[in-house]
Amino acid sequence: MYERWVRGAIGQDSDLWVTLAGCRKVLVMVPTVTAGTRLTDVLTLLRGDRRIQTLYTVPETFETWHGAAEFTAATGGLVVPWHQAVNQNFDLVLAATMTGLDQVRGQVMLLPHGAGSLMSRKYSPWAGRSARPHTGLARETLTKRGKLLLSALALTHDDELRVLRRTCPEALPVAVVAGDICYDRMVVSMSRYPEYREALGVAADQTLVTISSTWSTDSIFGRQPDLCRDVVREVADSGHRAALVLHPHVWAAHGKWQIHSWLAECLDNGLLLIPPQEGWQAAIVASDYVVGDFGSTTQYAAAIGKPVTLATFPDHKIRSGSLAHRLAKLAPRLDVRQRLLPQLRQANPHAEQVACWMSSRQGRSASILRHTMYQLLQLTEPKQPAALPPVPSPCPVPS
């Protein structure tokens, strides 16, 4: 079967078609929407540099996540087919998972796709019964046939560096403790609290309760699918609003139509459903209370000072010492048999403590990550200081 190639700023004859010549080429790997959203934060650090051409690709493996292709198309970027991407050389490859990294050519920079590089779950979801606890920074993950696949490994915390020294010491020379760019960008966005609430249609005198559910049968949506309906009813009766943030994997595994169908009653009653591509950060910033589980979004909410209550938490499946495990010791548990709002009002913010667990370089991720990328690109950094823009205003799906 004939496979088409994209004509433009890539390939041997690209100099015939480009308008700006001589650009360094940056490839953004988007195997999942989760990875794509994280790399969107990083790409803000390259804005305005006419020496750089950014391209996207969706790795093709024996399994494909629904929504990744649609996400890359929606960016408006130049999307390169996978069969073409693996036959080109790039100056920098940005990734938030290891998927396909053994097939691309270029200086690879890996970032975490959630809160930190260390797993919250004690075991990989795909592990068998005989599996051992897995940190997420294991040698079998970061290497292929004994070869390290990375030129830069961005870590969020000094604790991760200590784990890496034990689990994959050959990766230490490329490790960079850069802090958490997602957290830093949410902090920058805190001043937009009124703007985000207005975008969601939440009045100044209304309370916004956001439910944050990760994926898997251990999540809120997996264990308590009726909780959303109950929350919407209670807050609506009090004149307030409710929002729902579902992990992108929930959308990928079930499809947009099915999610909308399952939540039809909630949407009809005013639920603000945040789409998976963009908006969850702004929705969390706009929230007054967050009902969460062991997912990263719940941890980010706590780190920026939102009072968090846990609706479900599989204690026996969570790795001891993980960020999720530590937060669970601080956050109260929700009793679904009791009224919601009085319980939420008793939750206390723990921003300083959780933020210290999340990042060792608070407020510095932009400068560290940009410096690392420009080193790999062999370009001088722009003169202006590295800065992160606030996240865009949220746009809930139509009811």
Side-chain angles (χ1 to χ4, degrees):
M1 179 180 177
Y2 180 73
E3 293 181 312
R4 295 184 180 274
W5 284 40
V6 168
R7 176 174 284 176
I10 187 173
Q12 293 182 348
D13 62 347
S14 61
D15 57 329
L16 300 176
W17 308 110
V18 297
T19 300
L20 287 184
C23 292
R24 297 288 203 275
K25 293 180 176 58
V26 176
L27 181 67
V28 183
M29 303 275 282
V30 187
T32 66
V33 173
T34 307
T37 57
R38 176 53 55 97
L39 296 178
T40 298
D41 287 335
V42 180
L43 288 174
T44 62
L45 303 175
L46 303 178
R47 292 189 311 164
D49 197 326
R50 290 190 291 272
R51 300 169 297 171
I52 295 173
Q53 167 71 57
T54 302
L55 308 105
Y56 292 80
T57 193
V58 178
E60 293 180 4
T61 60
F62 66 96
E63 290 182 340
T64 300
W65 281 102
H66 174 70
E70 291 81 357
F71 176 91
T72 54
T75 65
L78 179 58
V79 181
V80 180
W82 181 242
H83 61 263
Q84 184 177 1
V86 297
N87 282 283
Q88 304 293 320
N89 293 313
F90 297 92
D91 299 290
L92 175 63
V93 177
L94 294 176
T97 75
M98 294 296 295
T99 303
L101 293 187
D102 59 326
Q103 300 180 57
V104 293
R105 306 172 189 172
Q107 302 267 60
V108 175
M109 180 175 177
L110 179 69
L111 297 102
H113 58 266
S117 299
L118 301 177
M119 291 175 58
S120 292
R121 292 180 175 88
K122 190 181 298 184
Y123 303 99
S124 168
W126 301 276
R129 294 182 178 179
S130 60
R132 296 179 180 180
H134 185 35
T135 65
L137 289 174
R139 177 178 286 111
E140 57 267 28
T141 300
L142 302 176
T143 63
K144 182 82 169 185
R145 299 187 183 94
K147 179 184 177 182
L148 185 67
L149 299 176
L150 311 175
S151 299
L153 172 60
L155 305 176
T156 61
H157 204 284
D158 291 322
D159 288 345
E160 297 175 355
L161 198 62
R162 287 188 279 270
V163 171
L164 188 68
R165 187 172 289 114
R166 183 182 73 251
T167 60
C168 188
E170 56 266 48
L172 287 172
V174 303
V176 179
V177 181
D180 192 306
I181 189 170
C182 179
Y183 164 77
D184 283 350
R185 198 174 181 198
M186 292 178 75
V187 171
V188 168
S189 304
M190 291 291 283
S191 61
R192 301 289 181 94
Y193 172 84
E195 176 185 319
Y196 296 157
R197 290 171 64 87
E198 183 179 356
L200 290 169
V202 179
D205 60 347
Q206 288 181 309
T207 295
L208 176 60
V209 177
T210 296
I211 302 170
S212 162
S213 177
T214 190
W215 63 283
S216 86
T217 54
D218 292 315
S219 68
I220 287 181
F221 199 60
R223 284 194 176 185
Q224 300 183 38
D226 291 334
L227 178 63
C228 188
R229 180 198 61 197
D230 297 339
V231 170
V232 170
R233 286 177 177 174
E234 182 174 336
V235 299
D237 288 345
S238 305
H240 302 303
R241 302 300 301 274
L244 174 62
V245 174
L246 292 172
H247 192 285
H249 281 1
V250 182
W251 295 84
H254 297 286
K256 181 172 70 172
W257 184 91
Q258 190 61 72
I259 298 297
H260 288 196
S261 176
W262 283 336
L263 294 171
E265 180 185 348
C266 298
L267 291 168
D268 290 344
N269 289 324
L271 174 69
L272 301 167
L273 178 60
I274 308 302
Q277 300 88 350
E278 188 175 74
W280 73 266
Q281 293 161 299
I284 293 298
V285 170
S287 302
D288 297 298
Y289 302 101
V290 173
V291 180
D293 51 24
F294 59 94
S296 291
T297 301
T298 303
Q299 296 154 28
Y300 283 118
I304 64 170
K306 301 300 176 180
V308 167
T309 303
L310 299 179
T312 183
F313 195 84
D315 296 85
H316 64 291
K317 294 184 179 180
I318 300 301
R319 186 176 59 82
S320 178
S322 66
L323 185 53
H325 177 255
R326 292 178 176 183
L327 177 58
K329 292 184 176 181
L330 299 175
R333 305 292 176 98
L334 184 71
D335 185 347
V336 295
R337 299 166 298 181
Q338 306 296 324
R339 286 189 60 80
L340 170 78
L341 287 173
Q343 296 182 71
L344 301 189
R345 293 183 180 120
Q346 294 188 16
N348 296 314
H350 298 281
E352 185 175 352
Q353 193 168 0
V354 178
C356 286
W357 293 336
M358 179 171 284
S359 171
S360 293
R361 306 290 187 271
Q362 293 175 38
R364 296 170 56 193
S365 65
S367 59
I368 297 172
L369 289 173
R370 192 181 77 169
H371 179 72
T372 303
M373 286 191 290
Y374 275 85
Q375 275 192 322
L376 295 175
L377 287 166
Q378 298 182 9
L379 288 174
T380 56
E381 282 191 74
K383 293 182 179 179
Q384 68 271 23
L388 293 169
V391 298
S393 292
C395 184
V397 302
S399 62

